[in-house]
Amino acid sequence: MNDSRQGILLAGNWIIDRVKLIDVYPEQDTLATISAESQSNGGGPFNVSKDLSKLFGEKPPFPLFAAGLIGTDPDGEMILADCAEHGIDTSFLQVSEDAPTSYTDVMTVESTGRRTFFHQRGANALFDGSRLDFEASKARFFYLGYLLLLDAMDELQADGETRATQVLRRASESGHRTVVDIVSEDSDRFRRLVTPALPQIDVLFLNEFEASRVTGQELRPDSSREAFEQAARQILEMGVREMVVIHAESGALAGTSQGEAVWQGSVRVHESEIRGAVGAGDAFAAGFLLGLHRGDPVDVCLKLGVTVAASCLLHPTTSGGILPLEKCRALGDEWGFR
């Protein structure tokens, strides 16, 4: 581990989530009732960085740097203010005059926590990473999220590589360990746009749906641990350099390039306590990355991930439920693990 480098440079989707609690998800042309609504952070970099800050009482455990593109509008101002409140450095965050700040309408069914997203791609669609000065960054990790939701990053170049692949290579060459997350898009673009980036990724986060799309093999939340292990091993063979982490409702598996495969069951959160699942995957990533940055063993990183994800379920917004680290751990002690 290079101790001269500290922190995470988090790039990609910076989004304002407009969360609406509804009584039922309606059929087309029918009515649903909104019982409550709120605004919050959205997008992998925003969620992960804010979650890390909240684990330590609004004070980041190590330097956090925002990188991406926002608009010149109230939503962009909200992002800058939220980052300032949570100690997130915005010196790598750029402003576009050509597109609004990205936002998502999140429709969450109150009784189940299931959510549906209506997304305005906005300025995120223009972010291609070309102006990222990696030599000016002394962060240990470069996090990029989400592939398949960054139009310019996902664009294929003449050599068959995506721009994301090129950005990740630059990050690696400048001394960063690269971390990537993917969006759960129901399309055939995974093999075409995600596969070229795999050899430039040190740590890859996916859920079971995304892993299925990358490998071409079905993986469900209730699939066996052996199926999760096989999927992780297949993705490692496709080029990921260090670790593939697949998370699902039932738990998470980390497969490493050294042949290690570690499973951790999720926290048995009481159904009556669940207020929403939006942001749970990013909360898991925040907990895992905390352990990874500290140099913790993989099993400790996984347990941190699932306990932080459990706290996320306690609130309908992405980061509203994130508790201080010790209280997240206490959830696992109190409710146990699957």
Side-chain angles (χ1 to χ4, degrees), residues 152-178:
M153 282 283 195
D154 292 327
E155 188 175 299
L156 280 170
Q157 305 300 288
D159 59 4
E161 289 190 336
T162 62
R163 283 181 175 167
T165 303
Q166 297 169 349
V167 169
L168 290 164
R169 181 181 293 111
R170 287 173 49 220
S172 292
E173 289 173 349
S174 62
H176 299 75
R177 290 172 69 188
T178 57

mmCIF file of all heavy atoms in Angstrom, residues 152-178:
data_model
loop_
_atom_site.group_PDB
_atom_site.id
_atom_site.type_symbol
_atom_site.label_atom_id
_atom_site.label_comp_id
_atom_site.label_asym_id
_atom_site.label_seq_id
_atom_site.Cartn_x
_atom_site.Cartn_y
_atom_site.Cartn_z
ATOM 1 N N ALA A 152 -20.885 10.362 -22.726
ATOM 2 C CA ALA A 152 -19.595 10.636 -23.350
ATOM 3 C C ALA A 152 -18.553 9.597 -22.936
ATOM 4 O O ALA A 152 -17.723 9.174 -23.742
ATOM 5 C CB ALA A 152 -19.115 12.038 -22.997
ATOM 6 N N MET A 153 -18.582 9.173 -21.693
ATOM 7 C CA MET A 153 -17.665 8.142 -21.211
ATOM 8 C C MET A 153 -17.911 6.808 -21.907
ATOM 9 O O MET A 153 -16.976 6.041 -22.159
ATOM 10 C CB MET A 153 -17.819 7.954 -19.700
ATOM 11 C CG MET A 153 -17.142 9.013 -18.869
ATOM 12 S SD MET A 153 -15.362 8.760 -18.785
ATOM 13 C CE MET A 153 -14.965 9.841 -17.419
ATOM 14 N N ASP A 154 -19.165 6.508 -22.204
ATOM 15 C CA ASP A 154 -19.522 5.222 -22.795
ATOM 16 C C ASP A 154 -19.319 5.183 -24.307
ATOM 17 O O ASP A 154 -19.512 4.137 -24.935
ATOM 18 C CB ASP A 154 -20.990 4.893 -22.488
ATOM 19 C CG ASP A 154 -21.235 4.616 -21.015
ATOM 20 O OD1 ASP A 154 -20.323 4.074 -20.357
ATOM 21 O OD2 ASP A 154 -22.324 4.939 -20.518
ATOM 22 N N GLU A 155 -18.923 6.311 -24.893
ATOM 23 C CA GLU A 155 -18.789 6.393 -26.347
ATOM 24 C C GLU A 155 -17.599 5.559 -26.832
ATOM 25 O O GLU A 155 -16.480 5.685 -26.350
ATOM 26 C CB GLU A 155 -18.603 7.852 -26.751
ATOM 27 C CG GLU A 155 -18.638 8.108 -28.231
ATOM 28 C CD GLU A 155 -18.568 9.603 -28.520
ATOM 29 O OE1 GLU A 155 -19.469 10.335 -28.088
ATOM 30 O OE2 GLU A 155 -17.590 10.022 -29.172
ATOM 31 N N LEU A 156 -17.844 4.717 -27.824
ATOM 32 C CA LEU A 156 -16.789 3.900 -28.403
ATOM 33 C C LEU A 156 -15.912 4.749 -29.325
ATOM 34 O O LEU A 156 -16.411 5.531 -30.134
ATOM 35 C CB LEU A 156 -17.381 2.735 -29.190
ATOM 36 C CG LEU A 156 -17.851 1.523 -28.378
ATOM 37 C CD1 LEU A 156 -18.633 0.569 -29.269
ATOM 38 C CD2 LEU A 156 -16.660 0.810 -27.748
ATOM 39 N N GLN A 157 -14.600 4.561 -29.206
ATOM 40 C CA GLN A 157 -13.645 5.262 -30.045
ATOM 41 C C GLN A 157 -13.256 4.381 -31.238
ATOM 42 O O GLN A 157 -13.636 3.218 -31.328
ATOM 43 C CB GLN A 157 -12.424 5.645 -29.226
ATOM 44 C CG GLN A 157 -12.735 6.450 -27.970
ATOM 45 C CD GLN A 157 -13.435 7.756 -28.262
ATOM 46 O OE1 GLN A 157 -12.831 8.688 -28.783
ATOM 47 N NE2 GLN A 157 -14.724 7.837 -27.937
ATOM 48 N N ALA A 158 -12.482 4.949 -32.145
ATOM 49 C CA ALA A 158 -12.116 4.231 -33.375
ATOM 50 C C ALA A 158 -11.352 2.945 -33.089
ATOM 51 O O ALA A 158 -11.428 1.982 -33.853
ATOM 52 C CB ALA A 158 -11.281 5.146 -34.271
ATOM 53 N N ASP A 159 -10.615 2.896 -31.969
ATOM 54 C CA ASP A 159 -9.828 1.708 -31.644
ATOM 55 C C ASP A 159 -10.641 0.653 -30.899
ATOM 56 O O ASP A 159 -10.087 -0.367 -30.466
ATOM 57 C CB ASP A 159 -8.594 2.090 -30.831
ATOM 58 C CG ASP A 159 -8.941 2.807 -29.528
ATOM 59 O OD1 ASP A 159 -10.154 2.935 -29.213
ATOM 60 O OD2 ASP A 159 -8.014 3.244 -28.822
ATOM 61 N N GLY A 160 -11.945 0.908 -30.736
ATOM 62 C CA GLY A 160 -12.805 -0.057 -30.064
ATOM 63 C C GLY A 160 -12.888 0.121 -28.564
ATOM 64 O O GLY A 160 -13.633 -0.604 -27.890
ATOM 65 N N GLU A 161 -12.116 1.044 -28.013
ATOM 66 C CA GLU A 161 -12.182 1.334 -26.582
ATOM 67 C C GLU A 161 -13.216 2.420 -26.308
ATOM 68 O O GLU A 161 -13.494 3.263 -27.160
ATOM 69 C CB GLU A 161 -10.823 1.807 -26.069
ATOM 70 C CG GLU A 161 -9.772 0.728 -26.017
ATOM 71 C CD GLU A 161 -8.531 1.204 -25.282
ATOM 72 O OE1 GLU A 161 -8.283 2.430 -25.204
ATOM 73 O OE2 GLU A 161 -7.802 0.330 -24.791
ATOM 74 N N THR A 162 -13.766 2.408 -25.111
ATOM 75 C CA THR A 162 -14.612 3.510 -24.679
ATOM 76 C C THR A 162 -13.735 4.606 -24.079
ATOM 77 O O THR A 162 -12.580 4.367 -23.698
ATOM 78 C CB THR A 162 -15.617 3.044 -23.618
ATOM 79 O OG1 THR A 162 -14.891 2.574 -22.468
ATOM 80 C CG2 THR A 162 -16.523 1.944 -24.152
ATOM 81 N N ARG A 163 -14.298 5.796 -23.981
ATOM 82 C CA ARG A 163 -13.564 6.868 -23.309
ATOM 83 C C ARG A 163 -13.311 6.521 -21.852
ATOM 84 O O ARG A 163 -12.276 6.889 -21.277
ATOM 85 C CB ARG A 163 -14.342 8.177 -23.418
ATOM 86 C CG ARG A 163 -14.240 8.838 -24.782
ATOM 87 C CD ARG A 163 -15.016 10.134 -24.825
ATOM 88 N NE ARG A 163 -14.823 10.842 -26.087
ATOM 89 C CZ ARG A 163 -15.560 11.868 -26.486
ATOM 90 N NH1 ARG A 163 -16.550 12.297 -25.713
ATOM 91 N NH2 ARG A 163 -15.330 12.457 -27.641
ATOM 92 N N ALA A 164 -14.261 5.815 -21.227
ATOM 93 C CA ALA A 164 -14.061 5.399 -19.837
ATOM 94 C C ALA A 164 -12.803 4.553 -19.697
ATOM 95 O O ALA A 164 -12.028 4.708 -18.745
ATOM 96 C CB ALA A 164 -15.284 4.629 -19.341
ATOM 97 N N THR A 165 -12.578 3.647 -20.647
ATOM 98 C CA THR A 165 -11.381 2.813 -20.632
ATOM 99 C C THR A 165 -10.129 3.679 -20.659
ATOM 100 O O THR A 165 -9.166 3.441 -19.910
ATOM 101 C CB THR A 165 -11.381 1.858 -21.837
ATOM 102 O OG1 THR A 165 -12.569 1.073 -21.811
ATOM 103 C CG2 THR A 165 -10.165 0.954 -21.813
ATOM 104 N N GLN A 166 -10.128 4.693 -21.508
ATOM 105 C CA GLN A 166 -8.973 5.571 -21.627
ATOM 106 C C GLN A 166 -8.742 6.375 -20.348
ATOM 107 O O GLN A 166 -7.605 6.557 -19.913
ATOM 108 C CB GLN A 166 -9.161 6.495 -22.829
ATOM 109 C CG GLN A 166 -9.239 5.742 -24.158
ATOM 110 C CD GLN A 166 -9.696 6.610 -25.316
ATOM 111 O OE1 GLN A 166 -10.157 7.737 -25.131
ATOM 112 N NE2 GLN A 166 -9.564 6.088 -26.524
ATOM 113 N N VAL A 167 -9.834 6.848 -19.736
ATOM 114 C CA VAL A 167 -9.723 7.600 -18.488
ATOM 115 C C VAL A 167 -9.190 6.708 -17.375
ATOM 116 O O VAL A 167 -8.314 7.114 -16.589
ATOM 117 C CB VAL A 167 -11.083 8.208 -18.106
ATOM 118 C CG1 VAL A 167 -11.062 8.773 -16.686
ATOM 119 C CG2 VAL A 167 -11.471 9.309 -19.095
ATOM 120 N N LEU A 168 -9.694 5.491 -17.291
ATOM 121 C CA LEU A 168 -9.225 4.558 -16.266
ATOM 122 C C LEU A 168 -7.744 4.228 -16.451
ATOM 123 O O LEU A 168 -6.989 4.111 -15.477
ATOM 124 C CB LEU A 168 -10.066 3.280 -16.293
ATOM 125 C CG LEU A 168 -11.504 3.441 -15.800
ATOM 126 C CD1 LEU A 168 -12.360 2.254 -16.229
ATOM 127 C CD2 LEU A 168 -11.536 3.599 -14.281
ATOM 128 N N ARG A 169 -7.306 4.101 -17.700
ATOM 129 C CA ARG A 169 -5.879 3.846 -17.957
ATOM 130 C C ARG A 169 -5.031 5.023 -17.464
ATOM 131 O O ARG A 169 -3.985 4.818 -16.831
ATOM 132 C CB ARG A 169 -5.646 3.614 -19.446
ATOM 133 C CG ARG A 169 -4.168 3.319 -19.763
ATOM 134 C CD ARG A 169 -3.927 3.118 -21.260
ATOM 135 N NE ARG A 169 -4.575 1.900 -21.740
ATOM 136 C CZ ARG A 169 -5.628 1.888 -22.551
ATOM 137 N NH1 ARG A 169 -6.161 3.035 -22.982
ATOM 138 N NH2 ARG A 169 -6.152 0.752 -22.947
ATOM 139 N N ARG A 170 -5.482 6.233 -17.744
ATOM 140 C CA ARG A 170 -4.748 7.419 -17.272
ATOM 141 C C ARG A 170 -4.685 7.441 -15.748
ATOM 142 O O ARG A 170 -3.646 7.797 -15.170
ATOM 143 C CB ARG A 170 -5.417 8.689 -17.787
ATOM 144 C CG ARG A 170 -5.215 8.949 -19.282
ATOM 145 C CD ARG A 170 -6.049 10.137 -19.747
ATOM 146 N NE ARG A 170 -5.869 11.288 -18.877
ATOM 147 C CZ ARG A 170 -6.862 12.104 -18.492
ATOM 148 N NH1 ARG A 170 -8.096 11.892 -18.896
ATOM 149 N NH2 ARG A 170 -6.604 13.124 -17.707
ATOM 150 N N ALA A 171 -5.776 7.083 -15.107
ATOM 151 C CA ALA A 171 -5.805 7.062 -13.640
ATOM 152 C C ALA A 171 -4.797 6.051 -13.101
ATOM 153 O O ALA A 171 -4.041 6.341 -12.161
ATOM 154 C CB ALA A 171 -7.206 6.727 -13.151
ATOM 155 N N SER A 172 -4.755 4.864 -13.708
ATOM 156 C CA SER A 172 -3.814 3.834 -13.269
ATOM 157 C C SER A 172 -2.375 4.283 -13.468
ATOM 158 O O SER A 172 -1.517 4.105 -12.589
ATOM 159 C CB SER A 172 -4.057 2.534 -14.038
ATOM 160 O OG SER A 172 -5.287 1.959 -13.696
ATOM 161 N N GLU A 173 -2.096 4.852 -14.626
ATOM 162 C CA GLU A 173 -0.725 5.264 -14.945
ATOM 163 C C GLU A 173 -0.235 6.367 -14.010
ATOM 164 O O GLU A 173 0.982 6.517 -13.815
ATOM 165 C CB GLU A 173 -0.658 5.722 -16.402
ATOM 166 C CG GLU A 173 -0.802 4.569 -17.402
ATOM 167 C CD GLU A 173 -0.913 5.046 -18.837
ATOM 168 O OE1 GLU A 173 -1.098 6.275 -19.048
ATOM 169 O OE2 GLU A 173 -0.826 4.195 -19.751
ATOM 170 N N SER A 174 -1.163 7.120 -13.430
ATOM 171 C CA SER A 174 -0.771 8.191 -12.509
ATOM 172 C C SER A 174 -0.732 7.727 -11.055
ATOM 173 O O SER A 174 -0.516 8.538 -10.149
ATOM 174 C CB SER A 174 -1.718 9.386 -12.656
ATOM 175 O OG SER A 174 -3.044 9.017 -12.316
ATOM 176 N N GLY A 175 -0.936 6.427 -10.818
ATOM 177 C CA GLY A 175 -0.754 5.892 -9.474
ATOM 178 C C GLY A 175 -2.012 5.608 -8.690
ATOM 179 O O GLY A 175 -1.939 5.245 -7.509
ATOM 180 N N HIS A 176 -3.199 5.747 -9.302
ATOM 181 C CA HIS A 176 -4.455 5.465 -8.612
ATOM 182 C C HIS A 176 -4.856 4.001 -8.773
ATOM 183 O O HIS A 176 -4.651 3.415 -9.842
ATOM 184 C CB HIS A 176 -5.590 6.329 -9.178
ATOM 185 C CG HIS A 176 -5.393 7.801 -9.040
ATOM 186 N ND1 HIS A 176 -4.507 8.515 -9.831
ATOM 187 C CD2 HIS A 176 -5.977 8.703 -8.209
ATOM 188 C CE1 HIS A 176 -4.555 9.795 -9.481
ATOM 189 N NE2 HIS A 176 -5.430 9.930 -8.499
ATOM 190 N N ARG A 177 -5.449 3.424 -7.741
ATOM 191 C CA ARG A 177 -6.148 2.145 -7.884
ATOM 192 C C ARG A 177 -7.558 2.469 -8.357
ATOM 193 O O ARG A 177 -8.238 3.332 -7.790
ATOM 194 C CB ARG A 177 -6.201 1.383 -6.558
ATOM 195 C CG ARG A 177 -4.852 0.853 -6.109
ATOM 196 C CD ARG A 177 -4.914 0.270 -4.711
ATOM 197 N NE ARG A 177 -5.689 -0.970 -4.660
ATOM 198 C CZ ARG A 177 -6.008 -1.586 -3.515
ATOM 199 N NH1 ARG A 177 -5.647 -1.057 -2.353
ATOM 200 N NH2 ARG A 177 -6.696 -2.712 -3.535
ATOM 201 N N THR A 178 -8.011 1.790 -9.395
ATOM 202 C CA THR A 178 -9.271 2.143 -10.027
ATOM 203 C C THR A 178 -10.419 1.284 -9.500
ATOM 204 O O THR A 178 -10.294 0.070 -9.348
ATOM 205 C CB THR A 178 -9.183 1.993 -11.555
ATOM 206 O OG1 THR A 178 -8.791 0.655 -11.874
ATOM 207 C CG2 THR A 178 -8.174 2.975 -12.121
#
